[in-house]
Amino acid sequence: MDEQASGDKAMEPENGGNVVPACNPEYVRLVKLAAAVAILRTKPPGMTGQQYAQYLQHKYQANQGDWKKRAEILQSRLLQTRQELLQAKLLQQQPQPAEGDEDKPEQVFPTPPSSSEELSSPHQASREDVVQRHSRFLTCVLRLQTVRNSLAGRVNLEETVKDSIIDSLHLLGLSLKEKVPDVSMATKNHIVKTIVEVLGRDELKVFGVEISQAVMGLVQTILKGVLRCEDLNRHQHQENQCRLIVDLSQTDSLCKPILEALLHHIKDFSDSLRTLKTSSLDPTLYENVYYMLWTFEQILYNLQDGRKLLIDDTLANELNNTLEDSLLFISEKYPLFTHYVWKLGGVLNSFQTPRQWKP
């Protein structure tokens, strides 16, 4: 009896049944053999067993992809429903307009450039439409001043604002990876400026980590796309993408990580220059690095013009030292790159507190 009890205990799964027991190799072999026999018996005429097995595999993979796509569509529709419900509640909380202002309520929901409510298909809206919908919702929250007055402590509204921001950034990143972007530049500019304005409110700091990760993911996507662009005549396109990064850097919590990301790309490029021969230099990459430097410079100029100083002496020294290290042994070979880096160093020096000279 004791031996039987101990044997029964050995067969019981550990950790409350969460551990999956190891499969018997012989059992697995028999299952595979049974599946192969079933495929051979049910295969249509004119197809070999291998062809029918491959067909079933492709069909299974397609169904898996369709399941994920349907889940994304449902999530998007759920977020849209939450936005519409919250907009209705927020409008109910606003004071009634005066008698002569009956024609002004539509101004609460300003429409971004080139907006369209129609769906591109009966199943899923285009990225352009979804991003514009997020933009209208966030603009509504800002115009009604609910972020400051009503957002704090309202979990549903806080979560919906956060989800709208993260989904917008995700859709922008997907659009940038397409050969022909499906979100217009006007819509990109509008949603980015709206997100920056929303992130300026203190109530969303609880979601700072999630939103920061989403923003930095978009920043990295933009930077990689700019560096890999092989069309040297797309100057305006490249500059427009970089301006999105400049706009995002106006958020206090994002300025430092964006500068560090730019500096990382500049440093990596300088390291490659140090090991490459001049004859093997990629001219396209060499030109595209200019946009990294230009973006870095524009952010610094914006900080100079701003009221708050977001770069202290420690950070300015750290950035400046990294820039100087990037020029080791390459200043004579690549004078244009070196000159621009020196220019950035000069701008960084202007942020440092001048030290009093002692006789």
Side-chain angles (χ1 to χ4, degrees), residues 40-261:
L40 290 174
R41 286 180 177 179
T42 58
K43 73 179 182 65
M47 293 182 66
T48 65
Q50 181 180 2
Q51 290 173 340
Y52 189 51
Q54 291 175 346
Y55 164 77
L56 293 176
Q57 179 186 7
H58 293 324
K59 188 175 181 180
Y60 172 78
Q61 292 175 345
N63 289 336
Q64 289 295 102
D66 291 341
W67 176 83
K68 293 180 180 179
K69 189 174 183 180
R70 287 195 298 269
E72 291 176 356
I73 294 173
L74 291 175
Q75 287 178 348
S76 178
R77 289 180 177 176
L78 176 59
L79 179 57
Q80 179 180 3
T81 303
R82 289 162 55 194
Q83 291 173 343
E84 292 172 352
L85 289 174
L86 287 169
Q87 284 177 343
K89 290 181 179 179
L90 295 175
L91 282 175
Q92 291 176 358
Q93 297 175 358
Q94 298 306 304
Q96 295 295 327
E99 294 183 359
D101 297 336
E102 286 85 357
D103 57 337
K104 293 184 180 180
E106 69 273 12
Q107 296 178 4
V108 174
F109 298 96
T111 303
S114 305
S115 65
S116 173
E117 289 289 343
E118 297 181 359
L119 301 180
S120 60
S121 70
H123 302 290
Q124 186 177 19
S126 67
R127 287 181 188 146
E128 177 93 9
D129 294 328
V130 177
V131 173
Q132 290 179 355
R133 188 181 72 230
H134 292 334
S135 182
R136 284 192 293 274
F137 170 71
L138 295 174
T139 303
C140 167
V141 173
L142 289 170
R143 290 295 178 90
L144 296 177
Q145 298 181 349
T146 54
V147 173
R148 178 170 299 172
N149 298 333
S150 305
L151 180 56
R154 298 187 57 177
V155 178
N156 291 336
L157 185 53
E158 291 176 349
E159 288 282 351
T160 305
V161 170
K162 183 261 296 184
D163 291 342
S164 300
I165 292 174
I166 292 179
D167 193 51
S168 298
L169 296 169
H170 173 67
L171 293 175
L172 291 184
L174 293 178
S175 175
L176 291 170
K177 294 178 182 178
E178 301 288 346
K179 292 184 178 179
V180 180
D182 50 6
V183 178
S184 66
M185 199 64 221
T187 299
K188 292 177 184 176
N189 288 329
H190 191 277
I191 186 63
V192 166
K193 292 181 184 298
T194 305
I195 289 174
V196 169
E197 189 173 356
V198 173
L199 292 180
R201 308 301 177 96
D202 294 335
E203 288 81 359
L204 288 176
K205 288 184 178 180
V206 65
F207 302 114
V209 176
E210 294 180 70
I211 295 176
S212 178
Q213 290 176 348
V215 170
M216 293 311 299
L218 176 63
V219 169
Q220 291 293 350
T221 299
I222 294 175
L223 294 179
K224 291 177 181 177
V226 169
L227 286 174
R228 295 172 182 172
C229 182
E230 297 181 354
D231 189 353
L232 298 180
N233 295 321
R234 300 185 70 189
H235 297 292
Q236 190 61 47
H237 168 79
Q238 297 278 74
E239 187 173 314
N240 288 338
Q241 305 307 313
C242 291
R243 284 193 183 279
L244 295 177
I245 299 178
V246 175
D247 290 338
L248 288 170
S249 69
Q250 295 180 13
T251 305
D252 294 357
S253 60
L254 297 174
C255 182
K256 180 180 177 181
I258 288 177
L259 284 174
E260 291 175 342

